Amino acid sequence: MNHDTKPRILKISILRFDPNDPEDFPHMETFEVEEAHGMTLYIVLNEIREHQDNALMFDFVCRAGICGSCSMLVNGRPTLACRTLTSKLDTNITLAPLPLFELIKDLSIYTGKWMEGLNDRLETWIHEKEETLNADKLEERMEPALADEIYELDRCVECGCCVAGCGNIQMNNDFVGAVGLNKVARFHLDPRDNRTDEDYYSLIGNEDGVFGCMTLLGCEDVCPKDLPLQSKIAYLRRMMVSTALK
């Protein structure tokens, strides 16, 4: 935005609905906000809540694209509000909660319940080689390149954008999605985990797992952390095929 020109007036249309209110129903409500330099949708929503409607509900924690709390549909595209500059958008902006997740109210969704169920289902923790904990044991050595590869996958913030952008989950609610497959790839790479390829096959070697991906690339297109989701899904698919043929 040019500082010498008159600020734009943004028209923010928000899908409002409180599922806990039996008298409420889904409806759009439009607010006008004067654009400021460097403004993000997170700032816009705070302006609306502080000065126009303090009942507007949305989520945020870090404001830096690290927590994943402010995920929502922006003009139909899953993304993070705190990382979306209004200068990159038209003056008419439509906001809605991510689909598939439990709705709390307005733009606030319960991603935690879905992610917790996924983590339990895929056992996303290191399965140690020893059954008993040895506090004096030195940490297992790891090559820096491998540590970097694991760290890259660990950057997932469980925002749910890839889930909302996945065409297959729309048709198969049991599909683990890119976020689940990314987690499996992360632990398969970890030398501290004692699970075999057969163990991983039992988790994702079916249509609800890696073979359910239709390779539409929606997950990678909308991932706010730019994770290599498709390459890891392809990696897992090759591994699962090889395991099945043993």
Side-chain angles (χ1 to χ4, degrees):
M1 183 177 64
N2 192 325
H3 294 283
D4 298 327
T5 61
K6 185 177 180 180
R8 297 192 303 170
I9 300 300
L10 305 174
K11 294 184 178 181
I12 314 296
S13 297
I14 302 175
L15 181 60
R16 308 292 302 274
F17 179 49
D18 183 355
N20 298 310
D21 184 352
E23 298 183 0
D24 197 11
F25 58 92
H27 61 282
M28 301 301 296
E29 191 168 350
T30 301
F31 303 88
E32 292 189 353
V33 176
E34 183 178 291
E35 187 177 32
H37 179 66
M39 178 175 268
T40 64
L41 286 178
Y42 160 77
I43 297 175
V44 168
L45 290 169
N46 272 282
E47 285 287 317
I48 293 173
R49 186 159 65 180
E50 290 179 14
H51 303 293
Q52 300 186 47
D53 186 348
N54 59 15
L56 176 64
M57 194 165 180
F58 61 96
D59 300 317
F60 69 93
V61 178
C62 72
R63 300 176 292 175
I66 298 173
C67 71
S69 299
C70 64
S71 55
M72 61 186 65
L73 293 181
V74 178
N75 295 334
R77 181 182 177 86
T79 190
L80 298 180
C82 69
R83 297 188 65 180
T84 304
L85 292 168
T86 58
S87 60
K88 303 294 185 181
L89 304 172
D90 193 19
T91 54
N92 294 313
I93 302 171
T94 301
L95 305 180
L98 289 187
L100 300 174
F101 297 101
E102 180 180 336
L103 177 66
I104 299 175
K105 181 186 175 185
D106 298 335
L107 301 174
S108 178
I109 56 174
Y110 195 176
T111 57
K113 180 185 292 186
W114 195 92
M115 294 297 175
E116 182 179 6
L118 180 71
N119 289 328
D120 289 342
R121 176 181 170 186
L122 297 180
E123 301 180 13
T124 56
W125 57 85
I126 292 177
H127 290 55
E128 291 281 359
K129 293 182 172 66
E130 289 92 9
E131 294 183 1
T132 57
L133 177 64
N134 182 0
D136 297 324
K137 179 185 175 182
L138 294 176
E139 186 172 353
E140 188 167 340
R141 293 179 181 274
M142 188 183 303
E143 291 297 325
L146 178 57
D148 288 342
E149 189 175 1
I150 293 174
Y151 171 75
E152 175 72 4
L153 303 185
D154 260 340
R155 291 194 304 108
C156 173
V157 294
E158 297 188 351
C159 63
C161 286
C162 65
V163 176
C166 177
N168 194 53
I169 291 185
Q170 307 289 336
M171 299 179 290
N172 178 13
N173 290 334
D174 291 328
F175 181 51
V176 299
V179 60
L181 296 175
N182 178 76
K183 289 174 178 292
V184 170
R186 176 255 180 273
F187 286 100
H188 183 263
L189 288 171
D190 200 316
R192 297 167 295 182
D193 197 293
N194 67 355
R195 284 176 287 184
T196 64
D197 290 350
E198 287 75 14
D199 293 329
Y200 286 108
Y201 188 88
S202 67
L203 293 174
I204 60 168
N206 52 37
E207 290 296 317
D208 295 335
V210 71
F211 297 121
C213 176
M214 298 184 291
T215 322
L216 298 176
L217 305 180
C219 55
E220 190 159 319
D221 285 345
V222 300
C223 178
K225 306 301 288 186
D226 297 320
L227 297 177
L229 299 175
Q230 283 304 312
S231 64
K232 292 308 174 186
I233 291 174
Y235 157 77
L236 289 175
R237 184 179 283 129
R238 291 193 300 271
M239 181 186 75
M240 293 295 99
V241 170
S242 176
T243 302
L245 294 176
K246 287 182 179 179

